C-alpha cells in the first residue's frame, strides 16, 4: 500500500504492459461480453429505477448493439452499428439516477462473471465519458 | 447520557441499514463523515455530498467518531441530509475530553456544535472530466467558552466557508481508481473551533488549504492520506497543521467504517498529539 501511495505522490504512471491481457480478453472476448450484457439487461428489466425506460425496446437488438459497442470500445474486432449515444438518448430525459442505476447493474453483472477489478475499472473509464451524451437530453 | 445517546444512535443506524438501498449513486461516492459532520474523509471535507441520493432522490447519514490521541479524546456525533445530490445539510457535536489538562483547568471537556450546508455547484465526482465542485459553509458554536476565552480567543462562534473540488480518476494507477480532493477554506477557528475563533495574534479570516488522496483497491476498500492546514491565532500556544493516514471499508451503501492514524500536532501547549481514529457511518 505504501508503495502505491508513494507512486501516487510522485505521479508514477505504469508503462502499458504488452504481456498483460487486453481489456477485450479480460472481458472474455465477444462471448464473455455478450454474457455480461445479457446479465446486465436481466438486472435492468428487474430494476424499478429504470425498467420502464426500457419498456417497448427491442431487447434482442439492444443486446446485440451493446455487445458490439463494448466489444469495440474494449479493443475487440467488432463494429458498433447502433446510433450515436447523443442521438439514441435524446428525448428520453435520462436522469442521473437512471444513469447511476445502469452503471450499478453493469458492475454487478461484471462481478457475477468474475471480471477482475482492474478490467472493470478500465471499461468504466472508457464508458464514463458517454455520461454527458446520455443524461439530461 | 452520552453513552445512552451513542447507543440509541447506533441502534437507529442498524435499523436504517436494514432498510432498502439508500440512493443510487455508486458505492463510496458519498465519502464518509468528517469530524465536522460534512461529507468527506476524516479531517478534510470533500465536494461530494453525503449518502447516496442521486438527482431524483433524497438520503443522508449518521455517524459516530472517536479519536483518542495522547492527551485528549475527541468524540463526534453527526447527522446529515442530502436532497437530490444538490444540497447537503448536516449537524455535528464535538466533545474534546481534556484528559491531561482537565484537572488543572477545572474543566472536563470542550464542546461545540456545528451546523453546515454544502451545495454542489458543478459536475460529478465520477463522470465529469473536471470532477465535482461544491461550496460549503460551517457555522460553529462553542458550548464551552471559559477555556478558549482564557487563552485569548475572541469569539465563541464562527463560520467557515470552503470551496472543494473532488475527482475519482477511473483506472488511473495499476488499473485502480484514485480519488483526489482539494479545498480552500476561509476560517478564524482555533483547533477547528474547539478553542474558539480569532485570537490575540490574529483576528481576521485566513485562507487555508486542505487536501486528500486515496486509492480504491476495489469498490469497498479505500486507503489514503489527508492534510489540513490551520491558522495560528492564539499567542499562548502554537497550532499545527493536521495529517492522517486512513483506510475506509464500505461493504455496502448502508455502512462504512473508517480507521485512521491522526497527527494533530501541538494542541494547547501539549506537543505531538497522535492517535487512532475510528468512525462508523450509516447511510439511508
Amino acid at each position: 500500500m505504501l508503495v502505491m501511495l508513494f507512486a501516487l505522490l510522485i505521479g508514477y504512471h505504469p508503462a502499458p504492459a504488452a504481456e498483460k491481457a487486453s481489456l477485450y480478453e479480460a472481458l472474455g472476448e465477444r462471448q464473455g461480453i455478450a454474457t455480461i450484457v445479457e446479465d446486465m439487461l436481466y438486472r435492468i428489466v428487474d430494476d424499478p429505477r429504470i425498467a420502464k425506460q426500457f419498456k417497448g425496446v427491442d431487447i434482442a437488438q439492444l443486446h446485440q448493439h451493446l455487445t458490439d459497442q463494448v466489444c469495440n470500445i474494449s479493443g475487440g474486432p467488432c463494429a458498433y452499428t447502433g446510433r450515436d449515444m447523443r442521438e439514441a438518448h435524446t428525448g428520453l430525459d435520462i436522469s442521473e439516477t437512471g444513469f447511476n442505476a445502469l452503471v450499478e447493474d453493469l458492475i454487478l453483472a461484471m462481478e457475477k462473471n468474475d471480471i477482475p477489478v482492474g478490467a472493470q475499472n478500465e471499461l468504466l473509464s472508457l464508458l464514463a465519458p458517454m455520461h454527458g451524451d446520455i443524461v439530461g437530453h | 447520557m452520552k453513552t445512552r445517546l451513542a447507543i440509541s444512535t447506533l441502534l437507529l443506524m442498524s435499523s436504517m441499514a436494514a432498510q432498502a438501498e439508500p440512493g443510487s449513486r455508486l458505492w463510496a461516492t458519498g465519502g464518509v463523515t468528517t469530524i465536522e459532520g460534512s461529507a468527506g474523509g476524516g479531517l478534510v471535507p470533500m465536494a461530494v455530498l453525503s449518502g447516496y441520493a442521486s438527482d431524483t432522490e433524497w438520503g443522508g447519514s449518521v455517524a459516530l467518531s472517536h479519536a483518542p490521541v495522547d492527551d485528549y479524546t475527541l468524540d463526534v456525533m453527526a447527522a446529515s441530509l442530502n436532497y437530490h445530490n444538490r444540497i447537503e445539510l448536516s449537524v455535528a457535536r464535538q466533545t474534546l475530553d481534556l484528559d491531561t489538562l482537565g484537572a488543572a483547568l477545572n474543566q472536563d471537556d470542550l464542546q461545540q456544535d456545528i451546523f453546515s450546508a454544502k451545495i454542489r455547484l458543478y459536475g460529478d465526482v465520477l463522470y465529469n472530466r473536471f470532477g465535482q465542485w461544491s461550496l460549503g459553509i460551517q457555522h460553529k458554536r462553542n458550548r464551552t467558552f471559559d477555556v478558549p476565552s482564557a487563552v485569548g480567543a475572541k469569539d465563541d462562534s464562527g463560520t467557515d466557508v470552503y470551496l472543494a473540488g473532488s475527482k475519482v480518476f477511473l483506472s488511473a494507477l495499476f488499473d485502480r481508481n484514485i480519488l483526489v480532493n482539494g479545498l480552500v477554506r476561509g476560517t478564524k477557528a482555533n483547533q477547528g473551533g474547539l478553542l474558539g475563533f480569532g485570537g490575540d495574534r490574529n483576528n481576521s479570516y485566513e485562507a487555508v488549504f486542505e487536501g486528500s488522496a486515496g486509492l480504491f483497491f476495489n469498490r469497498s476498500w479505500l486507503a489514503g492520506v489527508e492534510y489540513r492546514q490551520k491558522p495560528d491565532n492564539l499567542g499562548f500556544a502554537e497550532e499545527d497543521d493536521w495529517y492522517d493516514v486512513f483506510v475506509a471499508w464500505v461493504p455496502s451503501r448502508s455502512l462504512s467504517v473508517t480507521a485512521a492514524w491522526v497527527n494533530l500536532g501541538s494542541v494547547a501547549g501539549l506537543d505531538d498529539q497522535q492517535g487512532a481514529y475510528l468512525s462508523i457511518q450509516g447511510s439511508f
Side-chain angles (χ1 to χ4, degrees):
Chain A
M1 183 195 107
L2 281 177
V3 173
M4 285 182 171
L5 285 174
F6 180 67
L8 172 63
L9 290 173
I10 62 172
Y12 170 75
H13 297 286
E19 70 277 11
K20 200 184 78 174
S22 74
L23 175 58
Y24 177 63
E25 286 160 354
L27 294 173
E29 304 192 337
R30 199 177 188 289
Q31 185 52 53
I33 293 168
T35 307
I36 293 167
V37 172
E38 183 180 332
D39 288 339
M40 177 182 77
L41 288 170
Y42 277 128
R43 287 189 174 277
I44 286 172
V45 296
D46 210 23
D47 187 333
R49 295 170 295 184
I50 50 175
K52 63 177 181 295
Q53 296 265 10
F54 289 82
K55 280 250 170 70
V57 169
D58 180 344
I59 292 290
Q61 191 193 46
L62 181 63
H63 177 262
Q64 193 203 320
H65 279 158
L66 289 175
T67 302
D68 284 341
Q69 189 179 28
V70 172
C71 171
N72 178 271
I73 206 173
S74 65
C78 310
Y80 172 62
T81 56
R83 291 175 294 169
D84 80 42
M85 285 291 102
R86 179 68 177 253
E87 185 194 335
H89 295 89
T90 296
L92 297 179
D93 198 23
I94 306 286
S95 64
E96 296 284 352
T97 302
F99 187 87
N100 279 312
L102 186 136
V103 175
E104 175 183 336
D105 291 334
L106 170 63
I107 292 171
L108 293 175
M110 288 195 287
E111 286 185 353
K112 186 186 171 211
N113 288 279
D114 298 322
I115 304 302
V117 172
Q120 292 186 33
N121 293 341
E122 218 179 319
L123 180 60
L124 293 175
S125 76
L126 296 172
L127 298 175
M130 296 177 183
H131 171 267
D133 285 333
I134 293 174
V135 172
H137 302 296
Chain B
M1 169 62 201
K2 214 163 65 179
T3 313
R4 213 184 314 154
L5 194 52
I7 289 170
S8 58
T9 308
L10 271 176
L11 285 174
L12 179 68
M13 282 163 58
S14 53
S15 73
M16 282 184 311
Q19 279 181 8
E21 280 285 302
S24 292
R25 278 153 58 221
L26 290 185
W27 307 277
T29 54
V32 295
T33 303
T34 62
I35 56 167
E36 288 159 328
S38 306
L43 303 177
V44 176
M46 294 183 196
V48 299
L49 271 53
S50 71
Y52 293 96
S54 195
D55 63 347
T56 61
E57 302 165 332
W58 70 275
S61 64
V62 288
L64 291 176
S65 305
H66 180 68
V69 295
D70 293 292
D71 296 297
Y72 304 92
T73 305
L74 178 68
D75 282 284
V76 185
M77 294 185 294
S80 74
L81 284 176
N82 173 342
Y83 178 75
H84 287 193
N85 198 29
R86 176 58 67 186
I87 187 156
E88 168 194 300
L89 300 175
S90 60
V91 292
R93 172 162 295 177
Q94 296 180 339
T95 303
L96 185 74
D97 276 1
L98 303 172
D99 305 337
T100 302
L101 298 174
L105 295 172
N106 197 25
Q107 172 102 33
D108 289 340
D109 54 40
L110 301 177
Q111 280 198 0
Q112 70 172 346
D113 292 334
I114 306 174
F115 306 92
S116 310
K118 188 195 301 183
I119 182 160
R120 182 174 62 84
L121 299 175
Y122 171 83
D124 182 283
V125 70
L126 283 181
Y127 306 127
N128 191 295
R129 60 192 293 209
F130 303 112
Q132 178 164 328
W133 294 83
S134 297
L135 187 67
I137 185 166
Q138 297 177 334
H139 180 64
K140 306 175 176 184
R141 304 184 73 88
N142 288 166
R143 291 168 56 84
T144 49
F145 191 60
D146 290 348
V147 171
S149 174
V151 300
K154 300 295 186 193
D155 290 305
D156 65 357
S157 70
T159 304
D160 290 0
V161 180
Y162 63 88
L163 176 69
S166 308
K167 176 153 178 64
V168 170
F169 293 91
L170 294 166
S171 190
L173 187 73
F174 309 121
D175 295 336
R176 290 302 184 272
N177 304 334
I178 288 175
L179 166 72
V180 179
N181 171 67
L183 71 90
V184 177
R185 180 196 300 255
T187 183
K188 292 171 76 172
N190 309 317
Q191 297 294 358
L194 284 162
L195 282 179
F197 304 84
D200 51 314
R201 190 184 287 172
N202 172 44
N203 191 32
S204 36
Y205 270 91
E206 197 171 322
V208 291
F209 170 79
E210 302 170 23
S212 41
L215 184 127
F216 282 94
F217 299 105
N218 54 40
R219 69 174 167 87
S220 47
W221 286 94
L222 167 72
V225 293
E226 291 184 307
Y227 164 73
R228 176 165 168 167
Q229 193 179 30
K230 312 240 307 311
D232 191 9
N233 299 330
L234 298 173
F236 89 107
E238 292 277 321
E239 178 166 347
D240 289 334
D241 298 345
W242 288 346
Y243 303 86
D244 71 85
V245 180
F246 69 85
V247 177
W249 178 50
V250 189
S252 74
R253 286 194 180 93
S254 304
L255 176 71
S256 74
V257 180
T258 306
W261 186 259
V262 298
N263 185 341
L264 304 182
S266 186
V267 178
L270 300 175
D271 287 345
D272 198 27
Q273 296 297 313
Q274 297 191 35
Y277 169 89
L278 190 67
S279 180
I280 178 167
Q281 173 188 270
S283 299
F284 55 90

